[in-house]
Amino acid sequence: VSGARVVYRVKRIPASVLLAGWTLLVLLPLYILVTASFKSTAQIYSAPLAPPTTWGLGNFVHAWKQANFNAYMLNSVLVTSLAIALTIVVCLAAAYPLSRYRLWWTAPMLLVFLVGIMIPVRLASVGIFTTMKELHLLDSHLGLVLVFAALRIPFAMLIFAGFMRAIPVELEEAARLDGAPEWRVLVNVLIPQMRPAIGVVTVFTGIAVWNDFYFPLLFTFSDEKKTLTLGLAGFVGQYNTDWGMLFAGLTMALVPLVLLYSLASGQIQRAMGAGAFR
Amino acid sequence: MQHHANLRIARRSGVARLRAAPEGLDKDQGDPPQRTRRTGRGRRHGAAVAFVLPAAAIYGTFILYPLLSSLFGSLYTWTGITRQGFSGLGNFYRLLSDPYRQGLVSAFLHNTLWFVGVLLLQTLLGLLIAWTIFRRGRRFRIFQSIFFFPALLSPVLVGALWRLILIPNGPAQDFLHRIGLIHTTITWLGDSDKALWVLIAVDAWNWIGLPILVFGAGLNGVPKEIFEAAAIDGAGSGRMLTHIAVPMLMPALSALTMLTIINSFNQFDIVYVMEGVGGDPSRSTDTLITQFYRFAFGSVGSSGLTDIGLALALGGLLFVFLAVISVATLRYFDRKVARL
């Protein structure tokens, strides 16, 4: 090995330490999380970093049944999927005239929707609370779905309007000449070309709604209606002696996101890193 | 934020595009004019209204109207959640005088420290990591995926995980003892000098993948020849980073700083899960939003003890503050970008 090469290698050491160090910092907590799910509280105390001696699912069963995780999980799946569907349907419809009609009010209206991206919505939570109370939507999944859809409309509108604007008008014109009504133009001509945009909105609305904690905290009172994040927060405070079950609960909350990431990590990273910032 | 973490992503990705929107709208004016002539204006307006109505109704009912009513509501007195008479700036006056002033100032300080901490631990460290990955080439992109993974997790899950790991005599302490870094019992989450910084670090752990990803995409967009030419001129890695990469990354830095401001001043989830809604120990991790929450909805367990007037005044102040500082930040970066 020549002298220059040695110098080159030595110079790279700080950077390598940085990468290796942060990798450890990300992976070690995840390792502790998963292995502790299979241990008893005593084992976690005596050897927190050792691999589990058995791979029994006792902690998971315990969390799933006794700590109501089955209900929380189901509620989150229900609320998230309905919020995604509602957001996509209303935004596809609204983005159509707002991005493709030339009327005096369409551009300002689009801007009103897009401004929502910058609004610190939590500051409106007292107003949202009183509105929900008047509409008798407190402590209901329907109420949460409507609020989440409202929260996610600006982002979906941004993606859909931007995407629709770029679609060429020829096919649309041809359909109109054939006498198709406007809703058919949207459903048969535009929406089939919108798949990538719908994919992005589905993934991001899904992650956002699934992970939200603040609004379920405000609007949900009965235990059987809690979403997973809300259940998780209560669970950490409540069962603070049974560590094995706590870790098992967190691991279960992690599973859907690991699945999502392994299926779509490329798209998620591209959309987040490149598309969304230029 | 939030909406929260969810919102976080929306806000994070939306900022840059939002600024680009007016341009796009201008372009739209170039559409072929015969479209409107052929179908007739009346029918067009009717169809457009019908298409926009559902989204506008949901958005108006659950975001715009509540926001406006919250902002105006700050000018009234309240009993419970019922609005009483007009009181002008009375709520603001109460909020800014004893006994509330002290709490407000310290919460504001905590949010400001949060912003500075995230800027250093997340944005700056993220830049260094992104630069390292970029310099090492394609095979090192796998690190991007690893570092980004925590950004998918909700702050509640992340906070809960770290709370368990950092428990005295728990896993983190065991690890630090083994590698010989410390030999005492760690009680960071119960220590009012350290707790806030632990929470900031956890937030940075959660989100560092985003700047890494954004800077990485930005660096890959820079023509390779520029770096090659600099290398031939004898520029080292450090000089290339500060003199070429950073100026090129200004638009990304601008968007990330905006998001950091909004997120830092909306912190709630991590504090709630790790230290409770009171910002324990002894209010050392209290933020503006945990304070807002306690004013508006009472602390957990003690229901009914709310002061909506104070909550709305706090919300109004924070809203104005965020609006002003966002515009100032955008202006600052726009000038920097324009100078390039």
Side-chain angles (χ1 to χ4, degrees):
Chain A
V1 186
S2 72
R5 255 193 103 84
V6 172
V7 170
Y8 177 67
R9 291 240 167 115
V10 169
K11 272 191 170 174
R12 280 168 63 140
I13 288 177
S16 304
V17 169
L18 181 67
L19 285 188
W22 201 272
T23 306
L24 188 71
L25 198 59
V26 170
L27 295 183
L28 195 61
L30 298 174
Y31 164 82
I32 292 169
L33 170 65
V34 174
T35 53
S37 310
F38 295 96
K39 297 177 184 175
S40 68
T41 306
Q43 282 169 322
I44 297 173
Y45 257 113
S46 59
L49 301 174
T53 45
T54 55
W55 294 92
L57 294 174
N59 288 329
F60 291 95
V61 174
H62 209 50
W64 185 254
K65 290 205 176 130
Q66 200 172 323
N68 256 345
F69 258 65
N70 47 357
Y72 301 153
M73 195 75 97
L74 198 68
N75 291 340
S76 272
V77 169
L78 186 75
V79 169
T80 307
S81 42
L82 288 177
I84 293 172
L86 184 61
T87 307
I88 288 179
V89 169
V90 300
C91 286
L92 278 175
Y96 173 48
L98 294 188
S99 65
R100 294 180 83 84
Y101 287 12
R102 279 182 56 235
L103 303 172
W104 64 268
W105 56 273
T106 49
M109 187 72 191
L110 182 59
L111 208 61
V112 169
F113 279 114
L114 295 186
V115 161
I117 292 169
M118 305 278 288
I119 295 177
V121 192
R122 289 175 179 195
L123 303 181
S125 50
V126 171
I128 302 177
F129 188 91
T130 44
T131 306
M132 303 251 302
K133 193 178 160 80
E134 278 160 34
L135 298 173
H136 301 288
L137 287 171
L138 286 175
D139 201 23
S140 75
H141 287 152
L142 176 65
L144 273 186
V145 167
L146 287 167
V147 169
F148 280 136
L151 285 170
R152 302 304 307 172
I153 280 174
F155 175 79
M157 209 65 102
L158 176 79
I159 302 291
F160 285 161
F163 200 92
M164 268 189 202
R165 196 178 287 143
I167 296 177
V169 291
E170 283 75 20
L171 275 175
E172 199 181 322
E173 293 296 325
R176 278 208 193 92
L177 283 178
D178 287 345
E182 287 301 297
W183 65 269
R184 270 200 166 281
V185 175
L186 173 65
V187 173
N188 293 359
V189 180
L190 284 171
I191 291 180
Q193 304 181 63
M194 300 275 301
R195 282 220 187 125
I198 293 173
V200 167
V201 172
T202 302
V203 169
F204 286 97
T205 309
I207 295 173
V209 174
W210 182 268
N211 284 345
D212 192 76
F213 170 67
Y214 189 74
F215 289 101
L217 175 70
L218 296 192
F219 305 140
T220 313
F221 314 123
S222 38
D223 192 54
E224 72 270 13
K225 290 193 176 140
K226 283 182 179 174
T227 59
L228 189 61
T229 47
L230 194 52
L232 214 56
F235 176 72
V236 173
Q238 195 183 347
Y239 295 88
N240 50 17
T241 50
D242 193 346
W243 284 16
M245 185 174 88
L246 279 177
F247 278 109
L250 297 194
T251 303
M252 282 195 291
L254 195 79
V255 169
L257 292 160
V258 173
L259 284 178
L260 177 74
Y261 200 48
S262 53
L263 286 175
S265 77
Q267 277 109 309
I268 293 174
Q269 288 188 40
R270 264 196 302 281
M272 282 270 235
F277 269 96
R278 278 195 221 151
Chain B
M1 329 228 214
Q2 32 163 338
H3 351 247
H4 170 9
N6 351 73
L7 282 182
R8 241 172 153 151
I9 296 171
R11 297 214 182 106
R12 273 163 201 267
S13 40
V15 178
R17 291 259 192 111
L18 184 59
R19 289 199 288 145
E23 253 175 70
L25 297 175
D26 290 343
K27 258 182 248 153
D28 200 36
Q29 308 299 320
D31 273 357
Q34 64 268 27
R35 270 210 290 163
T36 33
R37 236 181 276 146
R38 210 178 283 144
T39 27
R41 289 224 162 232
R43 216 179 109 198
R44 267 285 152 115
H45 276 289
V49 170
F51 278 125
V52 175
L53 202 61
I58 295 174
Y59 180 64
T61 310
F62 293 100
I63 303 288
L64 286 188
Y65 168 73
L67 181 71
L68 294 177
S69 83
S70 293
L71 291 177
F72 282 115
S74 64
L75 303 173
Y76 291 80
T77 53
W78 293 74
T79 33
I81 59 163
T82 320
R83 205 173 75 181
Q84 309 289 340
F86 187 78
S87 72
L89 296 176
N91 291 320
F92 294 89
Y93 182 77
R94 273 198 306 138
L95 184 68
L96 294 171
S97 49
D98 291 331
Y100 299 111
R101 195 184 45 163
Q102 192 91 48
L104 184 74
V105 169
S106 84
F108 181 78
L109 181 72
H110 298 154
N111 285 107
T112 310
L113 288 176
W114 202 299
F115 169 70
V116 174
V118 166
L119 214 54
L120 293 175
L121 268 178
Q122 190 176 301
T123 314
L124 190 65
L125 194 61
L127 175 66
L128 289 177
I129 292 177
W131 178 246
T132 307
I133 293 172
F134 173 71
R135 298 284 292 161
R136 293 292 169 86
R138 273 185 179 282
R139 279 183 304 139
F140 280 75
R141 295 261 189 97
I142 176 77
F143 285 104
Q144 237 177 35
S145 305
I146 297 172
F147 298 158
F148 186 72
F149 177 73
L152 290 185
L153 308 180
S154 72
V156 172
L157 177 66
V158 169
L161 172 61
W162 279 100
R163 180 173 151 178
L164 291 177
I165 287 176
L166 288 171
I167 273 175
N169 303 314
Q173 185 186 321
D174 187 61
F175 177 74
L176 292 172
H177 282 196
R178 264 163 211 270
I179 64 171
L181 218 57
I182 56 160
H183 299 286
T184 46
T185 307
I186 57 166
T187 52
W188 299 336
L189 288 178
D191 182 338
S192 54
D193 292 330
K194 300 201 180 82
L196 182 69
W197 293 103
V198 174
L199 267 49
I200 294 171
V202 169
D203 188 39
W205 184 87
N206 194 178
W207 285 103
I208 197 169
L210 190 75
I212 293 175
L213 221 61
V214 172
F215 287 137
L219 286 171
N220 285 314
V222 177
K224 280 214 160 43
E225 294 75 27
I226 300 184
F227 291 117
E228 283 162 9
I232 292 168
D233 288 347
S237 183
R239 274 187 86 80
M240 279 193 228
L241 175 63
T242 51
H243 284 71
I244 302 174
V246 170
M248 291 287 203
L249 292 173
M250 270 308 159
L253 199 59
S254 162
L256 287 169
T257 307
M258 282 290 304
L259 294 165
T260 304
I261 292 172
I262 295 175
N263 288 327
S264 302
F265 283 90
N266 276 291
Q267 279 304 324
F268 180 82
D269 299 18
I270 287 181
V271 180
Y272 184 99
V273 172
M274 296 187 75
E275 300 285 7
V277 77
D280 294 332
S282 53
R283 297 263 188 272
S284 65
T285 59
D286 202 15
T287 65
L288 292 169
I289 297 286
T290 49
Q291 210 166 84
F292 172 85
Y293 179 89
R294 290 198 308 274
F295 284 148
F297 303 102
S299 44
V300 176
S302 69
S303 53
L305 272 169
T306 63
D307 191 330
I308 298 285
L310 281 184
L312 294 180
L314 174 54
L317 279 184
L318 187 50
F319 186 83
V320 172
F321 171 76
L322 285 176
V324 169
I325 202 143
S326 302
V327 170
T329 308
L330 286 179
R331 284 256 170 94
Y332 171 78
F333 278 104
D334 275 351
R335 231 174 289 141
K336 282 218 146 173
V337 173
R339 219 179 288 150
L340 292 175

